[in-house]
Amino acid sequence: MPYHVPFIDNDVSSGNRVMADWLNGVNNHTYGPVNNLVGDGTTTVFAISGAARSVYINGVYQNINTYTTTTASITFSQAPPYTSIIEVVCN
């Protein structure tokens, strides 16, 4: 069975971080940009650039029922913890 490994890298031409899935050495999905945010324990709405594809807080994937998004913002049902690292991978 082939390995399906997610890979995050910098896109030198655009300056954005991109996420790609590598399957048998073939890049079959590319996403970006990645929005890096920091939680303060009270804020629930954050500005983002693009439609959110997946969300991580401190490296832990967040279920889609814990937030809502538009192409300009993400709203969490509960404020991410103080100093938490929020990573929003967009289309």
Side-chain angles (χ1 to χ4, degrees):
M1 176 175 262
Y3 290 98
H4 195 85
V5 180
F7 177 75
I8 298 176
D9 197 5
N10 291 320
D11 178 0
V12 177
S13 63
S14 70
N16 292 327
R17 290 181 66 201
V18 295
M19 178 177 255
D21 289 330
W22 293 93
L23 181 61
N24 292 336
V26 176
N27 178 353
N28 60 350
H29 300 286
T30 301
Y31 314 113
V34 175
N35 295 261
N36 293 297
L37 310 164
V38 178
D40 63 9
T42 59
T43 301
T44 57
V45 180
F46 295 85
I48 59 173
S49 57
R53 182 167 189 84
S54 56
V55 178
Y56 302 85
I57 297 178
N58 290 331
V60 178
Y61 174 78
Q62 300 301 298
N63 290 328
I64 197 164
N65 65 347
T66 63
Y67 61 89
T68 59
T69 65
T70 67
T71 56
S73 68
I74 183 167
T75 303
F76 291 96
S77 55
Q78 292 185 323
Y82 179 70
T83 70
S84 59
I85 298 168
I86 305 161
E87 187 172 78
V88 182
V89 179
C90 296
N91 287 335

